[in-house]
Amino acid sequence: MRKKAFLLMLVLFLGIFLVACNSDGEGDSEDQDDTNSEDQEQDDEEASNDEESSLSGEITVWAHPFTGEGDAEQEMWDEITTSYEEEYGVTVNFEQIPWSNRDQKILTALAANNGPDVFYAIPDQMPQYADEGMLLELDPYLEDHDMDDFVESSLVSVQWQDKTYGLPILQEAYTLFYNLDVVRDIGEDPDNLPETWEEFEEWAVKAKENDYYATAFSFGGSMNGTLYPYIWQAGGEILTQDDEVKINDEKSVEAFEYVNKLYEDGHVPEDSITAQEHNEMWDSGQIMASMGSGINLQILQEKDEIDFGIAPPMKNEQQQTYGTTGMFVVPSNTENPDAAAEFVKHMTNSENQRKFNSVTKYIPTRESAKDIFDDQPYLSQLASYTQYALPGVIHPAGRSIMPFIQAELQAMLEGEKSPQEAADAAAERIANEIN
């Protein structure tokens, strides 16, 4: 059993949950169970020819607040749920739940068999739930569904062990935002921002010569936006879905070496080892480039104090970056799996992605819905980068291994370990966690 807080909660809840689970787990509705009944044979045949007509009853949908605009969000949800009800004849009970303690709330509700039929999940939740049999596999519902329109990278976060457990509704793409006044001051061209590690390091040297930090590192925070993108850009991995620990492979160690050199050469602030953010230094013009996404863009545009430019995600062997993916999933113990699965498909179709992401300002996961940003150059630019965005480590232990990696990375930056030693120590701790 993996040693993580999630499974401590399952000790309390899983027994009840398994009793409550749908016994076949295939998403068949109750009126299709008795296929041997002569009286219902004709009705079942008609239902198979017209799947929508078999949907009935009601479903409960849980989601979180995505903006501070409550009225606009509610109007958006009303439009989406009403269009579903009108098309399928199923009543939708929509409930907005807070982000805080969401894992506990969801697990408790599912274990008591009074949870939602559809709920919003993020990449580090999905594999935990799926690995314990708590999510409905959606592949049987997607055979005739247009999946090619989804950005390929957005599907990474909804799949565990080659099965699909959700459909994505939003993405982000983190990349470097440059202070163009600093770029000009170091004698570089704002229209040709660095695209490779080598180019960035050349600019970093010039930035230091002119008393600027090249970039902000916040290694006191999540590895998703700090170390992981460098590992992916080097062609490395952290942990695979087959439990292969790869963080200390040759390519992954290149990332440790690169960030260590940036720190040792003074290209990042001295407190980067434990810092959570460097917003004040960025705002005051001390930093040339800072990692950001849509929320950072919104802040920069509202303040209108920094002349900025957005660079493509960097590459070494590969061009990659981090970007979370939000999805809707269906618990395996739902009493109305067909209707729930159809809602997930309905919620993530192109039309409703336009509605949802126009309000929330996230990036649609369907290419056809990205036209909502056609008149917004910066958001359109970020939307074009989601093809490079990975959602983190898709593994039940993805969340719990991060502190181990962080600790070893910090030890390296403090000079206590070499990059290889730090990566090896992180690999050993990961292996102990998953075994």
Side-chain angles (χ1 to χ4, degrees):
M1 181 176 289
R2 295 184 177 91
K3 296 172 286 184
K4 55 180 180 281
F6 175 77
L7 288 184
L8 294 178
M9 300 177 74
L10 285 179
V11 170
L12 298 175
F13 302 136
L14 190 55
I16 302 173
F17 174 80
L18 290 174
V19 172
C21 278
N22 191 325
S23 61
D24 59 18
E26 293 297 324
D28 295 328
S29 59
E30 293 181 4
D31 65 344
Q32 292 174 320
D33 287 342
D34 188 9
T35 57
N36 294 322
S37 171
E38 186 173 330
D39 292 338
Q40 292 189 1
E41 184 175 350
Q42 183 175 354
D43 290 340
D44 289 342
E45 182 177 352
E46 292 175 355
S48 67
N49 292 330
D50 185 3
E51 184 178 354
E52 294 180 12
S53 68
S54 69
L55 301 183
S56 61
E58 61 183 45
I59 58 172
T60 296
V61 177
W62 282 3
H64 308 289
F66 292 91
T67 72
E69 304 294 330
D71 292 342
E73 275 198 61
Q74 187 59 56
E75 182 178 350
M76 176 267 294
W77 283 115
D78 288 344
E79 289 182 8
I80 292 173
T81 57
T82 298
S83 63
Y84 171 83
E85 290 174 333
E86 291 175 349
E87 182 172 354
Y88 295 99
V90 177
T91 300
V92 178
N93 301 310
F94 175 78
E95 297 180 25
Q96 193 171 76
I97 66 171
W99 287 98
S100 60
N101 299 317
R102 61 186 182 272
D103 277 327
Q104 182 178 358
K105 182 176 179 66
I106 291 170
L107 286 169
T108 302
L110 294 181
N113 203 29
N114 63 0
D117 300 284
V118 175
F119 64 94
Y120 179 84
I122 55 179
D124 64 1
Q125 291 175 310
M126 184 281 296
Q128 296 183 61
Y129 298 157
D131 197 50
E132 297 298 335
M134 302 177 74
L135 296 182
L136 180 72
E137 181 191 344
L138 296 182
D139 291 296
Y141 300 94
L142 303 177
E143 293 177 0
D144 298 322
H145 192 55
D146 180 14
M147 298 295 290
D148 291 339
D149 189 36
F150 283 106
V151 180
E152 185 175 352
S153 63
S154 74
L155 297 177
V156 172
S157 66
V158 302
Q159 295 172 342
W160 171 246
Q161 300 294 347
D162 298 321
K163 295 180 180 180
T164 304
Y165 290 100
L167 288 181
I169 182 69
L170 66 84
Q171 274 189 289
E172 288 184 302
Y174 279 75
T175 193
L176 287 174
F177 286 61
Y178 281 76
N179 184 322
L180 298 186
D181 288 332
V182 174
V183 171
R184 285 184 280 264
D185 197 33
I186 67 173
E188 290 294 345
D189 183 0
D191 294 325
N192 291 285
L193 301 175
E195 296 184 7
T196 67
W197 285 11
E198 183 178 3
E199 292 171 355
F200 182 81
E201 194 168 5
E202 291 174 358
W203 282 37
V205 171
K206 294 183 179 181
K208 184 180 179 181
E209 291 172 350
N210 287 272
D211 297 324
Y212 297 110
Y213 290 113
T215 189
F217 272 173
S218 304
F219 289 122
S222 170
M223 297 294 95
N224 283 329
T226 50
L227 179 65
Y228 286 1
Y230 289 100
I231 290 178
W232 299 326
Q233 289 163 11
E237 294 183 77
I238 297 96
L239 173 64
T240 73
Q241 293 194 8
D242 294 325
D243 289 348
E244 293 182 88
V245 181
K246 309 195 76 171
I247 195 169
N248 61 335
D249 285 2
E250 180 180 357
K251 292 184 182 300
S252 298
V253 173
E254 286 183 31
F256 281 81
E257 292 171 343
Y258 186 73
V259 299
N260 191 53
K261 187 174 189 303
L262 289 177
Y263 184 77
E264 287 184 338
D265 290 349
H267 297 317
V268 298
E270 295 178 6
D271 68 343
S272 293
I273 297 175
T274 57
Q276 296 283 338
E277 44 82 15
H278 288 111
N279 294 339
E280 291 185 6
M281 297 181 72
W282 164 258
D283 290 342
S284 62
Q286 299 177 61
I287 296 175
M288 177 178 68
S290 182
M291 189 73 82
S293 64
I295 184 63
N296 304 91
L297 172 62
Q298 183 177 345
I299 292 171
L300 284 168
Q301 290 179 318
E302 288 176 353
K303 286 185 175 181
D304 195 24
E305 296 174 353
I306 296 177
D307 183 14
F308 68 91
I310 304 175
M314 279 207 299
K315 61 184 175 182
N316 189 40
E317 180 174 305
Q318 298 180 10
Q319 186 173 17
Q320 301 278 194
T321 187
Y322 166 72
T324 192
T325 301
M327 72 196 80
F328 284 97
V329 298
V330 178
S332 56
N333 67 345
T334 174
E335 295 182 355
N336 203 346
D338 295 340
E342 287 302 325
F343 181 85
V344 172
K345 292 160 64 177
H346 179 80
M347 179 72 215
T348 58
N349 68 27
S350 187
E351 178 183 359
N352 288 323
Q353 287 217 19
R354 289 189 182 94
K355 292 177 182 178
F356 178 90
N357 290 294
S358 292
V359 172
T360 64
K361 303 304 180 185
Y362 286 102
I363 300 171
T365 58
R366 284 190 176 274
E367 292 287 2
S368 60
K370 289 183 178 181
D371 57 10
I372 61 173
F373 299 139
D374 281 353
D375 61 346
Q376 302 177 66
Y378 287 123
L379 276 174
S380 183
Q381 183 180 359
L382 287 177
S384 72
Y385 297 153
T386 58
Q387 62 182 305
Y388 308 116
L390 296 176
V393 176
I394 303 301
H395 192 281
R399 185 186 299 180
S400 63
I401 66 173
M402 197 175 290
F404 307 149
I405 299 170
Q406 182 183 54
E408 299 304 332
L409 179 69
Q410 290 171 333
M412 177 193 73
L413 296 175
E414 289 169 349
E416 298 175 2
K417 296 181 179 181
S418 70
Q420 184 69 63
E421 290 171 340
D424 286 340
E428 183 178 357
R429 296 182 71 177
I430 293 170
N432 290 336
E433 176 74 4
I434 65 176
N435 294 322

